[in-house]
Amino acid sequence: MSPYIVIISTGSELTAGRSVDTNSGWISNQLFELGWKVKKFVTLPDDPNLIFSELQSLQNLSKEIPVLVIMTGGLGPTEDDYTLETVLKLTGKTSYSVEKAKLRLVKIYEARGKEYKDILPNVFRQTFVPEGCKTLDNSVGIAVGFIENIGENSYLVCMPGVPSEMTEMFKRRLVPELKKLYPRENLLQKTKWLWNIGESLFQNDFIEPNRNEFFKDAEWGVTANRGYIKCIFQSTNEELLTTIISRLESQYPKIISDDVFQFVHEQLLKEKYTISVVESCTGGLLGKKLTEQAGSSAYFMGGFLTYSNELKSKLLEIPIETIETYGAVSDEIARVMVDGLCQKTGTDYGISITGIAGPLGGSDTKPVGTVFIGIKDPIGKTIVHHYVFPGNRESIRENASNTALFLIYQSLKGKDV
Amino acid sequence: MSPYIVIISTGSELTAGRSVDTNSGWISNQLFELGWKVKKFVTLPDDPNLIFSELQSLQNLSKEIPVLVIMTGGLGPTEDDYTLETVLKLTGKTSYSVEKAKLRLVKIYEARGKEYKDILPNVFRQTFVPEGCKTLDNSVGIAVGFIENIGENSYLVCMPGVPSEMTEMFKRRLVPELKKLYPRENLLQKTKWLWNIGESLFQNDFIEPNRNEFFKDAEWGVTANRGYIKCIFQSTNEELLTTIISRLESQYPKIISDDVFQFVHEQLLKEKYTISVVESCTGGLLGKKLTEQAGSSAYFMGGFLTYSNELKSKLLEIPIETIETYGAVSDEIARVMVDGLCQKTGTDYGISITGIAGPLGGSDTKPVGTVFIGIKDPIGKTIVHHYVFPGNRESIRENASNTALFLIYQSLKGKDV
């Protein structure tokens, strides 16, 4: 039995439009993986009356059906953080300071060379939770999260609004608790990525024709990302899931992948390959993505940012005439960039990116979105790929660097790239 | 008299977390400029029952106070677009097709070489509105928006969910109507950034002592970001706002700034300075940030990613012994990195970043978060700054690259860095 799920985000910066709430969508996606659909998102300013009346009406609803409320924000140290006080008013409970969280706070301050007495009293507020609740400890920040019973089979979960704290707490602490609170039959899930294809085309070409055969006993969902869509399939029938995935693989052999970020990281470590990059239009974004995971120093050596033609020439010894002949955004320049890169760095893999991120600089033959990506593999073969990515400047740069990671994936998989 | 404002977004792709709602924040920001604060965002799936019960409870609320509901989405041609039918159920009205919109639709089809008979009947659905409402014509797409009276001084506005259609309709058609419905005085706003200071310390040191003097006739808000907090002040009293800002400037002379991203971009363009970077722990993130704005090729030349010590030595000719003596994360190495960089690139400004992003690699003397940032300015002076940034790997990298931008800002402003 699934609860009626509502996600609440609090923060005046959200309702004022100064920040965009990404927490609710992220939580909803994660809950989908547990087999649950969210009924409603609510975003409220840091106003204790508004928060209270929203929670109260959900508490009333819990007299009729099981309700699960997941609320983020308002657990910080400042006076406009009202979550705890509102929950106490709702439940009529008192609060206490979680000893472990207090010790952790003191340690963090000491590590910064400060003493106990330097800690402002309001900072300690973050270690308080309602008595008798289930606590959710925070391994990233300070504020402690908690789960409070608000009715029969109904719970209110409070977590910090800082995404890095919330996501870690959600995965490590909340998911196991939710599975205990709302046990359900084992839902299996498989996820695949498809590259450079739109959601609606995928739905038209894969979901519709297979609707009767597959999607009576399986659910599907698609998340659009920059360069790829993530296709998620869920069912309690493992065999059916396997059939769906193999149909997907045979329909899209050249553009299908698993989680590229994870695979590239693990496989480069495993094969002890090194990699370097030379970036033009992405300005460092590929390097940033290749160093997101701890331990990336084992394979990522570095490289060059050659945004200007002058530096393409100076740092990689590409004659200015060659650049002028072919244009900086061309198959030829992507090729000499990656070859020059690997000569300088001596890594097993090399990647070059040169393109037109726009909004200006496009032409009839090379419109905005045109990107050439060169990849040199460990046996020394260089291939240059040509793309025209959609969207604005940010989207084109994200597309280009994600697609570069897909090319490394394909090469590591031994597939044609 | 301000109405109680609620913004509703409908769309199952939103509550499933497959898309992020940017409409609500945008609308809220626009309303803020009209002097209105939004009380609540609600996001609902394409479910007519959930939409109806939400609207009904807001209609009930309008018996007590003036309510303004602005709803986006659900006006399209497909079977999961329920807005019109739900509004008709709420008001007990019938609907009619807006003649002007119908003609426009036919014209659009003709322009694409199609005839009247090619238009699928459900496409015409988008031209229908409730009888007796105020219509909001759509100059970008097809669906007609409308304003419906739902109680005394209370209105329900329905607009399409496509951002380009909604924003145009909002500015051109809705704002003049809202000004007529709810006239009020002008609210002013000023924003400043403070660097490497926590929200709670700011509140303690600035807001509390000035509460009586400043914040009876002015509102304040703080948004925490990586490396800085954004402080926003609002009042109808311009003189008071000026006094608040000058007090802020005199209290925090060394860490205050305007929008650093915008200023650095504009000032580098204006002064015709060039810049290059050499990044270790940030892996390209600073370069990415410096190339986010169109036109950055006028100042950003490129640089080096020297993630490994080997490449620090190879590309910048720093002797391996020097790195071993001081450690790659040190004042000395940040200095020779930026000096080596500028020798190779010849740019006016140079920035080097070397640090420990973690989670591993920290020590007692150099904990995780330790970052050295070197800046060489156009007169050739090099200064290295030492920081210990809080948070996880991602946070430390964001902090480091944002702070590097702040150092460029300070130098461009002629302030001590």
Side-chain angles (χ1 to χ4, degrees), chain B residues 52 55-56 59 83-95 129-133 146-151 154-156 158:
Chain B
F52 180 76
L55 292 179
Q56 200 175 34
Q59 195 180 34
T83 295
L84 180 65
E85 117 184 24
T86 309
V87 174
L88 296 178
K89 188 174 160 195
L90 188 79
T91 57
K93 286 189 180 178
T94 57
S95 65
V129 299
E131 48 167 337
C133 71
F146 56 88
I147 305 176
E148 184 60 285
N149 190 285
I150 55 165
S154 295
Y155 299 91
L156 166 62
C158 294

Side-chain angles (χ1 to χ4, degrees), chain A residues 6 43 68 91 200 230 306 348 356:
Chain A
V6 177
T43 308
L68 172 63
T91 57
S200 45
K230 228 159 117 177
T306 57
D348 299 312
I356 303 162

Side-chain angles (χ1 to χ4, degrees), chain A residues 83-103:
Chain A
T83 295
L84 179 64
E85 120 184 22
T86 309
V87 174
L88 295 178
K89 188 174 159 196
L90 188 79
T91 57
K93 288 188 179 179
T94 57
S95 65
Y96 73 100
S97 172
V98 178
E99 199 54 32
K100 224 177 108 184
K102 224 160 88 181
L103 291 174

Side-chain angles (χ1 to χ4, degrees), chain A residues 147-190:
Chain A
I147 304 176
E148 185 59 284
N149 190 285
I150 55 165
E152 203 187 325
N153 266 321
S154 296
Y155 298 91
L156 165 62
V157 178
C158 295
M159 293 190 291
V162 181
S164 57
E165 298 180 23
M166 186 280 289
T167 55
E168 202 282 334
M169 186 180 286
F170 186 98
K171 287 184 189 167
R172 184 179 51 86
R173 291 287 292 119
L174 183 59
V175 169
E177 296 297 334
L178 289 180
K179 284 182 171 166
K180 273 187 259 170
L181 296 174
Y182 302 103
R184 51 168 294 160
E185 59 179 326
N186 229 358
L187 196 69
L188 301 166
Q189 171 163 317
K190 288 191 192 276

Side-chain angles (χ1 to χ4, degrees), chain A residues 15 17-18 28-29 39-41 43 45 54 78-79 222 283 287-288 291-292 301-303 305 307-308 393 397, chain B residues 15 17-18 28-29 39-41 43 45 54 203 211 232 283 287-288 291-292 301-303 305 308 393 397:
Chain A
T15 51
R18 296 197 299 270
S28 180
N29 240 314
K39 286 284 193 291
K40 183 171 166 177
F41 294 173
T43 308
E54 191 69 35
T78 64
E79 63 169 29
V222 174
K288 185 248 173 185
T291 53
E292 263 167 22
M301 296 294 109
L305 305 178
Y307 205 62
S308 67
R393 183 175 176 86
R397 284 156 40 105
Chain B
T15 51
R18 296 199 299 270
S28 180
N29 240 314
K39 286 285 194 291
K40 184 170 165 177
F41 295 172
T43 308
E54 192 70 35
Q203 187 177 333
R211 191 172 282 283
I232 300 145
K288 184 247 174 186
T291 52
E292 264 167 21
M301 296 294 109
L305 305 179
S308 67
R393 182 174 177 86
R397 284 157 39 107

Side-chain angles (χ1 to χ4, degrees), chain B residues 182-327:
Chain B
Y182 304 104
R184 62 160 295 157
E185 60 183 325
N186 237 0
L187 198 69
L188 302 164
Q189 170 164 318
K190 287 189 192 281
T191 303
K192 286 284 175 182
W193 300 22
L194 294 178
W195 288 80
N196 294 306
I197 179 174
E199 256 181 281
S200 43
L201 193 63
F202 167 73
Q203 187 177 333
N204 218 57
D205 292 354
F206 188 80
I207 301 296
E208 293 311 331
N210 297 310
R211 191 172 282 283
N212 287 332
E213 187 183 351
F214 292 157
F215 299 112
K216 280 177 179 157
D217 292 319
E219 298 249 15
W220 64 277
V222 174
T223 317
N225 292 282
R226 263 70 181 264
Y228 61 95
I229 59 173
K230 229 158 117 177
C231 309
I232 300 145
F233 305 98
Q234 292 177 339
S235 177
T236 50
N237 180 342
E238 184 166 8
E239 207 181 325
L240 175 62
L241 273 188
T242 309
T243 309
I244 293 174
I245 296 299
S246 74
R247 181 78 56 89
L248 196 70
E249 277 169 340
S250 69
Q251 188 159 338
Y252 300 106
K254 297 203 167 185
I255 61 169
I256 197 167
S257 77
D258 296 308
D259 181 334
V260 155
F261 301 113
Q262 200 52 39
F263 182 89
V264 165
H265 173 71
E266 284 167 9
Q267 205 63 15
L268 288 175
L269 284 178
K270 192 175 151 202
E271 303 279 352
K272 296 197 166 59
Y273 285 136
T274 56
I275 188 165
S276 60
V277 300
V278 51
E279 302 185 52
S280 184
C281 66
T282 45
L285 184 56
L286 177 58
K288 184 247 174 186
K289 283 180 191 272
L290 277 165
T291 52
E292 264 167 21
Q293 307 223 30
S296 54
S297 58
Y299 50 82
F300 185 71
M301 296 294 109
F304 300 88
L305 305 179
T306 57
Y307 206 62
S308 67
N309 288 348
E310 193 190 330
L311 285 196
K312 283 184 189 76
S313 170
K314 244 190 206 171
L315 303 183
L316 299 171
E317 295 163 40
I318 303 171
I320 280 287
E321 305 79 59
T322 310
I323 301 175
E324 281 167 357
T325 305
Y326 296 105

